[in-house]
Amino acid sequence: MAYALGLHGFVDIFPPLMAPIDPANICMMGLRSVDDAEHNVINELDLDVYDMQRLNALGVVKPIAGFLDRVAAAKGRLDRKSTRLNSSHILQS
């Protein structure tokens, strides 16, 4: 995610990004653990993040519906990226 956002530290590892993702266009769901450095970046970038504790309290319908409303309002395209049974969604305009 840090690379896709265009954050520093990837110069000698990956090619430069043509268009980093705007942090306002990200909704991450299902995080199980976040270390202090990751927590600081999430706060600095004001990322829309729902860890498992928050999802257990809210359920998934409200956060997903809110994100899909943002996609529709931006006339964006929703790409589903999945590494397991759970998935994250990335808004691309």
Side-chain angles (χ1 to χ4, degrees):
M1 183 56 59
Y3 172 69
L5 286 164
L7 302 183
H8 61 83
F10 298 95
V11 174
D12 296 327
I13 302 170
F14 297 112
L17 287 174
M18 296 298 286
I21 298 173
D22 182 342
N25 294 340
I26 292 176
C27 178
M28 297 172 58
M29 298 180 70
L31 281 72
R32 297 190 185 280
S33 65
V34 177
D35 65 29
D36 289 340
E38 292 167 328
H39 184 74
N40 290 338
V41 172
I42 287 168
N43 285 338
E44 286 173 21
L45 297 177
D46 196 28
L47 295 178
D48 192 9
V49 174
Y50 295 86
D51 63 13
M52 291 306 295
Q53 182 178 1
R54 193 168 174 206
L55 286 175
N56 287 337
L58 292 174
V60 297
V61 173
K62 187 174 181 177
I64 289 174
F67 183 71
L68 293 176
D69 288 346
R70 286 176 29 211
V71 172
K75 296 183 177 27
R77 186 181 85 229
L78 186 67
D79 289 337
R80 183 172 177 265
K81 306 293 181 189
S82 179
T83 56
R84 293 191 202 117
L85 294 176
N86 58 355
S87 60
S88 61
H89 294 82
I90 300 173
L91 169 65
Q92 297 177 348
S93 20

